[in-house]
DNA sequence: CCTATCTCTTA
DNA sequence: GTAAGAGATAGGT
């Protein structure tokens, strides 16, 4: 920085409060996030930076920074513990805006500066001094009197709200003393807001007069005896010390060791699209337009930005206790409490307020009734929707009926009133004869006409559809060419808010939040052998069951949706959960081709191999027994044959785990080896080659897995019916199963997987320089670890050394214990402990990360991914050491596993639009935690792979700029084994 | 017929 | 040591 340069320093914290109080209260984004202060702040910044570029205005900044207070604790508290002690907490609807405002600053591409232990004013003073010494001019954007001591020939202030320049004459005019005497003046007057004592009875006028008379504070205190007024003289003598302390409190530190140097504050050209994206995300329409115009940005071509994830972290309010919340009466403060927390509390009470009456539902028997309900839903703009079908398998399910629920417009009684109905469409008579299930039950409307009405409602973007696990209903409706536009999903809401706090199924949520036990599916259909299809349930019973589900769903939404804002989870829900549902729906709908012949052939081979082994096993055992029974096997091995080294499971049975059998085999016994081999073959046969063909859909001839979005605590998906996330890959035998997952003729499968994503996430979150460097250099990460730990050069490293380092790396991710590592490596626990100590010595950041994560989990009851997702561990404070240790390990693992899960979710949400934008015909079929499988025409594969890789490698951006690059390997082939 | 236990598969 | 789902057996209802 040099002479002629001009530094603008914005007092960000001061500005936040002014913007907050200047603007109408409770300006909210459509999702309820309060944004009044953010809006005021953005308008002010925009005014500053746009005028700054207007050279017709006299002052043009070359450098710019926005300075914030870091926290309420500063060095001043050590000088004087009462400093700012009477400050009340900021208003609750302002709290979530602090982080958003920092995000806003970054969206303007401006340095956003704060430092622990110092106030914004100290940083401003420091930068002002540095700039002054470099010969530059400074303008402090603030009207705070605390900063006026900085004013001088090169430094002025600017009150942007009053559009007023504050220089030396203005300070003298206002306070009666020049800027350099402001410290003494404030020392005398004190400050009731900041709890700076000063001297009683002395206000600004008297103080100015005294300073005028004596020159400065020290002289005044020395010669206080000369003051004529008795009371004033006594006070000055008595409170001289208080004045001296006050002087130190108001004197700004201009020697802070600032992290950003002056040169880094250079004002860069504005990034139009980046700022427009942010403003659009905040729904500031007129400012968005102004900025777009001024920067020549096409606002319609810019996607609204990710809501700041850092914001989410700071937005957490007091966690609601779900059990209490359900029964909580509206508290005295809750009644008029317009904070997000107050609203959430009220809504929870309202949702569970009314007794649910399952006899009060309407059954819709003709199309006019349905039309009336659709009109009602359009009126309210919100409708809960649920389908009833013939099957849990959405791909084979036939629609039997559907239910709707709407909130009733009612004055603010503190109760939620709901109307619900059921529209039966295909209920048949149970009197099934050999020709089929009998005729239709009476009182049902024509299906065709009903679906037309329903389609118009579900596809109407202005009506919010609410469902519980809507992915299922989407899949069912997709069979009828109906898309559900504009929706919320109570299961996903619960998952985002309460992952780890229990199940997210409707029955569990209803009990937890509404204190209501729903009618069970089995209560209407019966169970086991006497179960009847839902289509044969009597319509009145079906109405009670189905409409209740819609009512409960609507009530749950009422209670849960508002918690997104009060708990700072909006961005997780809106970016990582809700948009993924339709993506997964389409993946499930597409399915993947599985070659029946290949499986059948494999099954035969496996059967032969297993039979041969079984015969040898019986021979060696000397008797016929059930080889698949661990109980019988344990008795043969350890009781009958008396092999040594047997251990017991927790139920007292002999353990026959693969590890135990391997140990026996290593000791030279023949039988255990054969058991291990037999188990591998029978496992592959029963779980894969025999079971998979049963999942081939007769219509599509493909296998359609079901992805569960709310099954894990960490944010991973799970897969079932069949589980395609545990198809064998480690052994050559097992990999043969993968050759049966094939592309259609003329197509290929593409497999794209993240390389070492969890270790990369670890390097990022724990900030480990060696790991970061190794990934940047692209070196073998396990070899690097081994080299650091054991001092072995990477070149020519023995594979055993690398293997151990690899196990330790994984162990770290899993929240390592000496016990676990010892088991994994088959070494002594003491030796494993030595390894761990060594690791922590070489990578001390890892230990810090683990300790900090444990502490965070204990403090909050949850841990957080880099995108703000929370995983709760309510048992982490357990007095049982085993339970506690387990929860600690899980809590250490969750941010790593969960962040990786978030990254691939982001990639999946962006993938389809990206492929489309690139003009690519490729269909995403499967997700296996760090891998995505696509199918595409063979000729297109080479063009598509770079698009896929690009989306996956940049999936964390722009929310998180990772310290480590993400690497994706992708390959195309005819089957999954070759593509992987 | 349902549930718990054990084992094994994946990332 | 983390996170899942599933099959076979065994034992209760």
């Amino acid at each position: 920085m040099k002479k002629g340069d001009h530094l603008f320093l914005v007092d960000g914290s001061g500005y936040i409060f002014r913007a907050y109080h200047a603007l109408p209260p409770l300006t909210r984004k459509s999702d309820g996030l309060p944004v009044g202060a953010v809006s005021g702040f953005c308008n002010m910044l925009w005014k500053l930076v746009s005028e700054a570029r207007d050279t017709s205005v006299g002052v043009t900044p070359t450098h710019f920074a926005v300075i914030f207070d870091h926290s309420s604790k500063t060095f001043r508290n050590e000088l004087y513990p009462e400093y700012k002690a009477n400050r009340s907490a900021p208003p609750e609807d302002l709290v979530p805006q602090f982080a958003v405002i920092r995000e806003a600053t970054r969206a303007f591409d401006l340095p956003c500066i704060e430092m622990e232990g110092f106030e914004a004013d100290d940083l401003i003073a420091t930068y002002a001094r540095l700039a002054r010494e470099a010969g530059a001019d400074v303008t402090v954007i603030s009207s705070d009197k605390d900063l006026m001591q900085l004013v001088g020939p090169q430094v002025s202030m600017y009150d942007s709200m009053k559009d007023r320049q504050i220089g030396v004459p203005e300070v003298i005019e206002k306070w009666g003393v020049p800027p350099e005497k402001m410290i003494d003046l404030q020392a005398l007057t004190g400050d009731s807001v900041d709890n700076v004592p000063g001297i009683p009875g002395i206000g600004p006028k008297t103080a100015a007069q005294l300073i005028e008379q004596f020159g400065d504070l020290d002289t005044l205190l020395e010669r206080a005896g000369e003051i004529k007024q008795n009371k004033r003289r006594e006070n000055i003598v008595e409170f001289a010390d208080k004045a001296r302390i006050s002087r130190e409190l108001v004197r700004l530190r201009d020697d802070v060791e600032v992290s950003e140097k002056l040169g880094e504050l250079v004002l860069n050209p504005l990034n139009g699209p980046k700022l427009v994206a942010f403003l659009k995300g905040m729904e500031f329409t007129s400012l968005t337009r102004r900025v777009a115009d001024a920067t020549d940005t096409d606002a319609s071509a810019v996607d609204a930005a990710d809501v700041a994830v850092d914001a989410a972290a700071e937005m957490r309010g007091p966690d609601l206790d779900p059990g209490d919340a359900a029964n909580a009466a509206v508290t005295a403060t809750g009644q008029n409490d317009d904070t997000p927390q107050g609203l959430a509390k009220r809504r929870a009470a309202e949702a569970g307020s009314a007794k649910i009456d399952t006899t009060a539902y309407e059954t819709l028997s003709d199309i006019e009734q349905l039309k009336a309900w659709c009109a009602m839903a359009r009126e309210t703009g919100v409708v809960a929707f649920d389908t009833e079908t013939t099957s849990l398998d959405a791909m084979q399910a036939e629609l039997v009926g559907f239910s709707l629920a709407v909130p009733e417009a009612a004055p603010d009684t503190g109760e939620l009133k709901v109307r619900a109905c059921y529209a039966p469409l295909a209920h048949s008579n149970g009197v099934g004869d050999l020709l089929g299930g009998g005729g239709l039950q009476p009182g049902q409307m024509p299906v065709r006409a009903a679906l037309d009405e329903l389609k118009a409602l579900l596809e109407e973007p202005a009506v919010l559809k609410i469902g519980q696990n809507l992915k299922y209903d989407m899949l069912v409706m997709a069979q009828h060419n109906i898309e559900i536009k504009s929706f919320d999903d109570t299961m996903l809401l619960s998952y985002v808010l309460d992952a780890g706090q229990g199940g997210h199924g409707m029955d569990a949520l209803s009990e937890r939040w509404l204190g209501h036990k729903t009618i069970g599916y089995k209560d209407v259909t019966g169970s086991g052998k006497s179960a009847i299809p839902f289509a044969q349930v009597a319509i009145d019973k079906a109405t009670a069951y189905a409409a209740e589900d819609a009512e409960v769903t609507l009530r749950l939404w009422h209670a849960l949706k508002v918690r997104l804002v009060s708990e700072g989870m909006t961005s997780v829900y809106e970016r990582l959960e809700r948009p993924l549902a339709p993506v997964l729906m389409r993946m499930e709908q597409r399915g993947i081709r599985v070659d029946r012949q290949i499986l059948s052939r494999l099954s035969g081979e496996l059967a032969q191999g297993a039979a041969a082994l079984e015969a040898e096993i019986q021979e060696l055992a000397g008797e016929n027994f059930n080889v698949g029974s661990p109980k019988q096997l344990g008795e043969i091995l350890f009781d009958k044959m008396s092999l040594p080294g047997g251990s017991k499971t927790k139920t007292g049975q002999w353990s026959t785990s693969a590890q135990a059998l391997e140990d026996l085999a290593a000791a030279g016994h023949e039988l255990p080896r054969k058991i291990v081999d037999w188990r591998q073959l029978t496992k592959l046969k029963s779980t894969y080659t025999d079971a998979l063909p049963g999942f081939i859909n007769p219509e599509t001839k493909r296998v359609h897995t079901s992805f569960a979005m709310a099954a894990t605590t960490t944010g991973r998906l799970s897969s079932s019916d069949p589980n395609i996330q545990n198809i064998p890959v480690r052994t050559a035998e097992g990999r043969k199963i993968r050759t049966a997952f094939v592309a259609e003729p003329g197509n290929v499968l593409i497999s794209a997987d993240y390389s070492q994503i969890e270790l990369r996430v670890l390097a990022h979150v724990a900030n480990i320089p060696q790991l970061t460097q190794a990934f940047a250099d692209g070196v073998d990460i396990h070899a690097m670890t081994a080299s650091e730990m054991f001092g072995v050069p990477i070149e020519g490293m023995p594979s055993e050394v690398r293997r151990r380092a690899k196990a330790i790396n994984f162990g770290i991710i899993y929240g390592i214990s000496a016990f676990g590592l010892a088991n994994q490596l088959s070494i002594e626990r003491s030796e494993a402990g030595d390894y761990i100590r060594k690791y922590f010595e070489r990578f001390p950041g890892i230990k810090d990360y683990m300790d900090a994560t444990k502490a965070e989990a204990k403090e909050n009851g949850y841990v957080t991914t880099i995108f703000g997702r929370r995983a709760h561990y309510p048992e982490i404070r357990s007095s049982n050491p085993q339970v506690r240790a387990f929860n600690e390990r899980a809590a250490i693992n969750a941010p790593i596993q969960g962040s990786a899960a978030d990254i691939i979710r982001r990639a999946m949400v962006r993938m389809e639009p990206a492929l489309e934008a690139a003009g690519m015909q490729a269909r995403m079929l499967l997700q296996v935690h760090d891998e995505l499988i696509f199918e595409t025409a063979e000729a297109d594969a080479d063009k598509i792979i770079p698009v896929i890789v690009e989306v996956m490698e940049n999936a964390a951006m722009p929310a998180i700029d990772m310290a480590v690059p993400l690497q994706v390997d992708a390959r195309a082939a005819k089957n999954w084994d070759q593509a992987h």
Side-chain angles (χ1 to χ4, degrees), chain A residues 100-395:
Chain A
V100 182
I101 283 170
R102 286 169 172 76
E103 258 338 284
T105 309
R106 285 188 271 272
F108 275 86
D109 260 337
L110 297 172
C112 177
I113 297 172
E114 57 192 283
M115 188 175 287
E116 179 153 19
F118 296 98
E119 294 183 35
D121 291 354
D122 299 308
L123 300 172
I124 291 172
T126 301
Y127 280 113
R129 175 184 61 83
L130 292 169
R132 226 175 49 223
E133 288 171 1
D137 293 322
V138 179
T139 299
V140 178
I141 316 298
S142 171
S143 56
D144 191 336
K145 69 171 188 306
D146 296 347
L147 286 160
M148 291 188 181
Q149 58 183 274
L150 303 175
V151 171
Q154 287 167 270
V155 182
S156 63
M157 291 173 65
Y158 174 70
D159 179 347
S160 65
M161 286 203 169
K162 296 197 181 120
D163 190 22
R164 205 170 63 100
Q165 203 73 27
I166 304 169
V168 176
E170 285 80 10
V171 174
I172 296 174
E173 188 193 330
K174 173 104 196 269
W175 296 98
V177 296
E180 62 271 19
K181 297 284 166 69
M182 278 301 291
I183 299 175
D184 287 355
L185 179 127
Q186 289 175 269
L188 286 168
T189 59
D191 186 331
S192 59
V193 178
D194 291 346
N195 213 20
V196 174
I199 292 179
I202 297 189
K205 293 295 171 209
T206 315
Q209 185 237 308
L210 289 168
I211 289 167
E212 169 80 10
Q213 187 184 340
F214 291 94
D216 59 48
L217 181 65
D218 288 324
T219 317
L220 164 65
L221 296 178
E222 243 167 66
R223 296 165 45 194
E226 299 172 21
I227 293 166
K228 297 195 178 63
Q229 297 90 334
N230 286 335
K231 190 68 196 167
R232 184 177 296 172
R233 184 180 60 245
E234 284 163 21
N235 274 342
I236 292 178
V237 172
E238 183 181 351
F239 294 102
D241 282 346
K242 282 276 193 291
R244 290 196 188 89
I245 288 177
S246 299
R247 179 167 56 185
E248 295 320 304
L249 291 176
V250 301
R251 189 199 305 277
L252 299 182
R253 288 269 301 265
D254 64 1
D255 58 349
V256 181
E257 288 281 332
V258 288
S259 47
E260 279 87 351
K261 298 290 161 253
L262 277 183
E264 297 170 47
L265 309 186
V266 164
L267 184 59
N268 294 313
L270 205 58
N271 180 341
K274 179 174 168 186
L275 180 54
V276 166
F278 174 84
L279 296 170
K280 226 174 145 175
M282 298 310 295
E283 302 169 5
F284 298 156
T285 45
S286 61
L287 186 57
T288 304
R289 188 164 9 87
R290 287 211 300 281
V291 172
D293 287 350
T295 58
D296 280 329
T297 306
D298 179 3
S300 59
V302 175
D303 286 340
D306 273 343
V307 171
V309 168
D310 287 350
E314 253 190 61
M315 274 163 59
R316 59 164 169 267
D319 276 2
L320 290 172
D321 178 347
D324 290 350
N327 303 314
V330 179
T331 62
T333 53
Q335 197 71 257
N336 298 309
D337 182 355
D338 259 324
T339 63
Q341 288 77 20
L343 183 66
K345 213 169 180 177
R346 257 198 330 277
R347 286 288 193 89
E350 286 164 8
S353 60
K355 183 111 182 74
I356 292 174
D357 179 2
T358 59
T359 62
Y361 300 128
E362 204 177 324
T363 304
L364 308 189
S365 55
D366 65 50
I367 208 79
E368 293 309 316
Q369 280 176 294
L370 176 58
K371 281 183 175 167
W373 269 85
C374 290
M376 208 150 52
R378 287 194 167 80
E379 191 73 21
T380 56
V382 177
V383 61
F385 171 71
D386 187 29
T387 56
E388 301 304 332
T389 66
T390 54
S391 167
L392 274 174
D393 174 2
M395 282 301 294

Side-chain angles (χ1 to χ4, degrees), chain A residues 3 57 63 75 78 87 189 204 246 357 363 366 371 386 508 520 530 610 625 651 685 696 754 783 845 855 880 939:
Chain A
K3 193 163 167 26
V57 181
H63 295 65
F75 69 91
E78 301 191 356
R87 273 276 167 97
T189 59
S246 299
D357 179 2
T363 304
D366 65 50
K371 281 183 175 167
D386 187 29
S530 55
F625 72 105
T651 51
K685 182 171 185 293
I696 297 175
Y754 284 106
N880 177 335

Side-chain angles (χ1 to χ4, degrees), chain A residues 660-699:
Chain A
L661 298 177
E662 290 287 356
D663 290 347
L664 291 173
H669 301 287
E670 206 178 346
L671 182 54
R673 172 89 265 149
K674 292 193 189 296
I675 305 274
V676 170
D677 292 343
W678 179 88
R679 278 190 182 163
Q680 190 199 8
L681 299 186
T682 52
K683 172 77 178 175
L684 292 173
K685 182 171 185 293
S686 66
T687 310
Y688 302 105
T689 63
D690 288 353
L692 277 172
F695 288 102
I696 297 175
N697 183 297
E699 292 278 325

Side-chain angles (χ1 to χ4, degrees), chain A residues 945-962:
Chain A
I945 286 177
V947 178
I948 293 169
V949 169
E950 163 88 11
V951 170
M952 289 175 73
E953 290 188 341
N954 292 305
M957 297 283 273
I960 299 290
D961 193 0
M962 290 189 58

